[in-house]
């Protein structure tokens, strides 16, 4: 158990809809990262938050947004969903910005299916 | 575009054999190279990592070999066991924000008993 909790584990929705994925990082971790894993592909970095502030952005679509709350949990909002958004969405956390070891602790992911 | 290319896509090895997975990167600014292991239904977990100041790092049956000039690194799993059957991802990042990693596409390893 990595200590990172993601909900929901599975989500099925229709095109055009909006969903929110939630992540609780390991106790004490200030950094939260969101990654997308599409079928047969590696993980694509979406966005990072550190102590409530956005710190790095990857190939995140404009239809997607995220935030980190004062209690350090994070939410990834996906709107105007398309079939191609179907994927596993992972949240990861690290103690700092990952400067020292770079070790990420991943949750078990939220599997999104868009029909 | 920053990329990490991983091969092979899948690998079948007999129990006791050596599993070798290769990765190549393009961005010379990368200075942290982790390998992650992912079992079905689970998130990736850090297996072993290396920085470019060393050419090899060994932890138990797992060894990373690093070739800075060729911009390549590889994972060797010695005495492969059925329990090693998983998907392995290499990754690369810049240590000022090592959590922002560029991942390879993964290698599905099957170790046959």
């Amino acid at each position: 158990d990595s200590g990172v909790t993601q909900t929901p584990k599975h989500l099925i929705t229709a095109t055009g809809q909006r969903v929110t994925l939630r992540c609780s990082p390991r106790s004490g971790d200030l950094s939260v990262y969101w990654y997308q894993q599409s079928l047969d592909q590696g993980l694509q970095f979406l966005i990072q938050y550190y102590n409530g502030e956005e710190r790095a952005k990857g190939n995140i679509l404009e239809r997607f947004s995220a935030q980190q709350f004062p209690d350090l949990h994070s939410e990834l909002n996906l709107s105007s969903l398309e079939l191609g958004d179907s994927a596993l969405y992972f949240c990861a956390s690290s103690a700092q910005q990952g400067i020292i070891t770079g070790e990420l602790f991943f949750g078990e992911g939220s599997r999104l299916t868009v029909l | 575009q920053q990329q990490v290319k991983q091969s092979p896509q899948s690998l079948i090895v007999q129990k006791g054999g050596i599993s070798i997975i290769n990765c190549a990167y393009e961005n010379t600014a990368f200075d942290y190279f982790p390998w992650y292991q992912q079992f079905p239904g689970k998130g990736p977990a850090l297996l072993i990592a290396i920085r470019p100041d060393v050419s090899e790092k060994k932890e138990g049956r797992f060894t990373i070999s690093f070739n800075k000039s060729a911009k390549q690194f590889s994972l060797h799993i010695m005495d492969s066991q059925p329990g090693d059957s998983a998907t392995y991802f290499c990754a690369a990042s810049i240590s000022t924000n090592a959590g922002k990693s560029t991942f390879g596409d993964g290698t599905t390893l099957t170790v046959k008993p």
Side-chain angles (χ1 to χ4, degrees), chain A residues 21 30 41-42 50 75:
Chain A
L21 309 180
L30 299 179
Q41 288 191 1
Y50 177 76
E75 292 181 357

Side-chain angles (χ1 to χ4, degrees), chain B residues 8-68:
Chain B
Q9 187 174 17
S10 62
L11 181 61
I12 301 175
V13 173
Q14 292 292 326
K15 178 182 175 182
I18 302 174
S19 304
I20 301 174
I21 304 170
N22 301 300
C23 284
Y25 63 97
E26 299 175 357
N27 186 352
T28 55
F30 287 146
D31 61 358
Y32 179 72
F33 303 89
W35 285 88
Y36 286 84
Q37 180 187 56
Q38 183 180 25
F39 292 105
K42 300 294 185 181
L46 180 67
L47 187 62
I48 186 172
I50 197 169
R51 297 188 186 275
D53 52 344
V54 297
S55 60
E56 186 175 283
K57 183 175 181 180
K58 184 176 181 179
E59 290 184 3
R61 296 184 293 110
F62 300 90
T63 300
I64 299 179
S65 297
F66 185 82
N67 185 330
K68 187 175 181 178

Side-chain angles (χ1 to χ4, degrees), chain A residues 10-58:
Chain A
H10 302 277
L11 189 57
I12 301 174
T13 189
T15 55
Q17 295 299 304
R18 171 189 171 96
V19 299
T20 297
L21 309 180
R22 181 188 170 101
C23 169
S24 294
R26 290 189 320 157
S27 177
D29 282 0
L30 299 179
S31 268
V32 170
Y33 304 79
W34 286 97
Y35 281 84
Q36 179 192 55
Q37 185 178 31
S38 300
L39 189 64
D40 294 332
Q41 288 191 1
L43 294 94
Q44 302 292 321
F45 170 74
L46 295 178
I47 197 164
Q48 176 204 2
Y49 279 81
Y50 177 76
N51 203 21
E53 294 187 3
E54 181 185 307
R55 282 303 173 92
K57 219 168 186 177

Side-chain angles (χ1 to χ4, degrees), chain B residues 5-13 19-23 35 74-75 87-90 104-109:
Chain B
K5 296 183 179 179
Q6 184 172 347
S7 63
Q9 187 174 17
S10 62
L11 181 61
I12 301 175
V13 173
S19 304
I20 301 174
I21 304 170
N22 301 300
C23 284
W35 285 88
S74 60
L75 175 69
T87 299
Y88 293 81
F89 293 96
C90 63
D105 285 347
T107 296
T108 301
L109 171 65

